[in-house]
Amino acid sequence: MSTFKREQREYAENLAYDKAQLYHDHLEEIEKQQQIDECEGTLIAYMGLDEFKKLSKDNISNIVGAMQEYAETFQNK
């Protein structure tokens, strides 16, 4: 096989790998956002929409993070 063809094949393989990695990262971000949305939905159900709206974005992030950590710990038991 010529050097040029080998380089083309390697380049195509690298592009395919990069594309697959980007797609995987994208799916992880979608899953993370879905988990955040579920946590926020749970908070709204628990607190009510009016109280939820009073929370700052940082407080929501902290609460969601704590909920996710709890869920991971609970799953590992």
Side-chain angles (χ1 to χ4, degrees):
M1 180 181 291
S2 72
T3 303
F4 179 72
K5 287 185 179 182
R6 185 175 57 241
E7 288 175 355
Q8 278 186 321
R9 189 189 76 227
E10 288 174 3
Y11 180 74
E13 288 172 355
N14 288 337
L15 282 178
Y17 176 81
D18 291 344
K19 183 178 178 181
Q21 186 63 44
L22 284 172
Y23 183 69
H24 176 73
D25 293 345
H26 176 70
L27 290 178
E28 283 182 341
E29 285 298 317
I30 289 172
E31 183 178 347
K32 183 178 178 182
Q33 186 59 50
Q34 287 173 338
Q35 290 174 349
I36 290 170
D37 292 345
E38 287 177 25
C39 289
E40 288 180 358
T42 301
L43 280 172
I44 291 170
Y46 181 75
M47 300 173 67
L49 185 58
D50 291 336
E51 290 298 318
F52 179 80
K53 287 181 179 180
K54 292 178 186 176
L55 295 173
S56 71
K57 187 73 171 168
D58 289 336
N59 285 339
I60 293 171
S61 295
N62 289 335
I63 293 169
V64 167
M67 291 171 74
Q68 289 175 326
E69 186 175 321
Y70 174 78
E72 289 172 9
T73 302
F74 185 76
Q75 286 179 345
N76 291 331
K77 286 185 179 181

